[in-house]
Amino acid sequence: MLSPVGIFGGTFDPIHYGHLRTAFEMLQALRFGEIRFVPSRDPPHRGITYANAATRFEMVRLAIQGLPGFTIDDRELQRDGPSYTVDTLESLRSDAGDTPLGLIVGMDAFLGLTDWHRWDEILGLAHIVVAHRPGWRAPDMGPLGELLSARGTHRVEDLHDRSHGRLHIHAVTQLEISSTEIRELVAAGRDPRFLMPDVVRDFIMESGCYTNPDSKH
Ligand code: ATP
C-alpha cells in the first residue's frame, strides 16, 4: 500500500512553527509520504477569522515553499459554505483511491471532535492522528474515550496497512505558540520573528494584515 498522506487542516491565522514542527515530526516519525496543508475558508467553529482566506492560504504557501514532503491544497477555498472536514475528506478520499489518509489534529481540536459536522463518519474516510498540545490530556471517558479504546493504536504500521479507521495519539515537541497570541502581539506593534518562518513574518509586516483594519488582506 502507498505511504499515508497526512491531512493538516486549520485556520492558520497565521501559520507558525507549532504547526510546522508538528507536521514535520508526523512526516518523519509516522513515515507519511506527504503532509498536505488544507487551509479552511470558513471554519465552522471559529466565528470570525482575521486575515481573509486567500491571505491565510498565501501565508501557508510561503511557509512550506521548497520543503520536501509538504504540499498545500485549495479545495476548501473553492467550496462555498462552512468548511466541514468531513466534506473535505470525502473529496480527498475520492481522489486518493486506497491510499491511507491521516487527519492530523491537535489534542485541543480532538477534544471538540463530537461537535464536528458528521464527526462519526470521519474514521470511515481517514485515520485520525492526534498531536499532543501543551496542557491537554487524552480523554478516557465519554464518546472519545470509547473511540480511543475501540480504534486507538500505538502501532505506526496500522496507519500504513489500512486506508482509514484507526486513531493514533502521537507526542510532538511542545511548542507553545498560538495564532491568537501572534495576532495580539502584532496588533500591539511587536515583532513575531522566530515564531514562524521569516518569509511569513515579512509578509505579515508588509501587508499589515493584522494591524490595519482597512487592509485588503
Ligand atoms: P489559535 O492559537 O488562535 O487557537 P490554532 O493555531 O490553534 O489557533 P488552527 O490554525 O486552526 O488554530 O490550528 C490548526 C491545527 O493545528 C489544530 O489541529 C491545532 O490543534 C493545531 N495546533 C495549533 N497550534 C499548535 C501548536 N503550537 N502545536 C501543535 N499543534 C498545534
Side-chain angles (χ1 to χ4, degrees):
M1 202 171 250
L2 291 166
S3 299
V5 176
I7 307 299
F8 200 171
T11 316
F12 304 118
D13 194 12
I15 189 163
H16 53 65
Y17 280 137
H19 301 126
L20 290 163
R21 182 68 205 174
T22 297
F24 187 61
E25 291 190 14
M26 297 287 184
L27 181 71
Q28 299 216 308
L30 305 181
R31 303 192 308 277
F32 280 7
E34 173 190 335
I35 303 286
R36 191 175 301 196
F37 288 82
V38 189
S40 179
R41 190 186 69 84
D42 178 8
H45 294 291
R46 303 294 294 229
I48 57 164
T49 59
Y50 294 83
N52 68 37
T55 295
R56 291 182 286 105
F57 184 91
E58 176 62 6
M59 290 190 282
V60 175
R61 192 189 69 75
L62 290 168
I64 66 164
Q65 191 166 251
L67 296 178
F70 281 7
T71 60
I72 185 166
D73 190 301
D74 70 353
R75 75 189 66 209
E76 291 198 356
L77 264 65
Q78 305 303 342
R79 216 168 58 221
D80 286 335
S83 305
Y84 292 125
T85 299
V86 69
D87 294 335
T88 304
L89 289 174
E90 267 175 354
S91 156
L92 286 162
R93 171 54 66 209
S94 77
D95 289 355
D98 290 337
T99 303
L101 299 177
L103 177 70
I104 298 171
V105 293
M107 183 62 83
D108 59 318
F110 176 65
L111 292 176
L113 185 75
T114 54
D115 294 333
W116 292 18
H117 184 57
R118 291 162 54 203
W119 71 274
D120 52 348
E121 295 175 39
I122 289 179
L123 281 173
L125 296 161
H127 303 298
I128 298 179
V129 181
V130 184
H132 272 304
R133 272 189 91 174
W136 300 89
R137 263 194 60 210
D140 46 19
M141 296 161 44
L144 292 178
E146 284 164 27
L147 202 65
L148 256 173
S149 50
R151 305 295 193 99
T153 178
H154 298 295
R155 295 177 67 243
V156 171
E157 294 73 28
D158 287 339
L159 307 177
H160 288 247
D161 294 346
R162 302 192 39 183
S163 64
H164 63 275
R166 302 308 300 261
L167 182 53
H168 179 74
I169 299 190
H170 186 77
V172 292
T173 302
Q174 309 279 284
L175 293 176
E176 206 164 342
I177 303 174
S178 93
S179 300
T180 305
E181 282 170 24
I182 291 173
R183 291 193 303 271
E184 288 169 359
L185 186 145
V186 174
R190 286 162 55 206
D191 190 329
R193 190 186 293 281
F194 305 132
L195 296 174
M196 60 186 60
D198 281 347
V199 66
V200 178
R201 177 259 174 208
D202 294 349
F203 179 94
I204 289 173
M205 301 309 255
E206 280 158 27
S207 66
C209 60
Y210 295 122
T211 38
N212 176 3
D214 298 327
S215 124
K216 293 197 179 61
H217 300 276

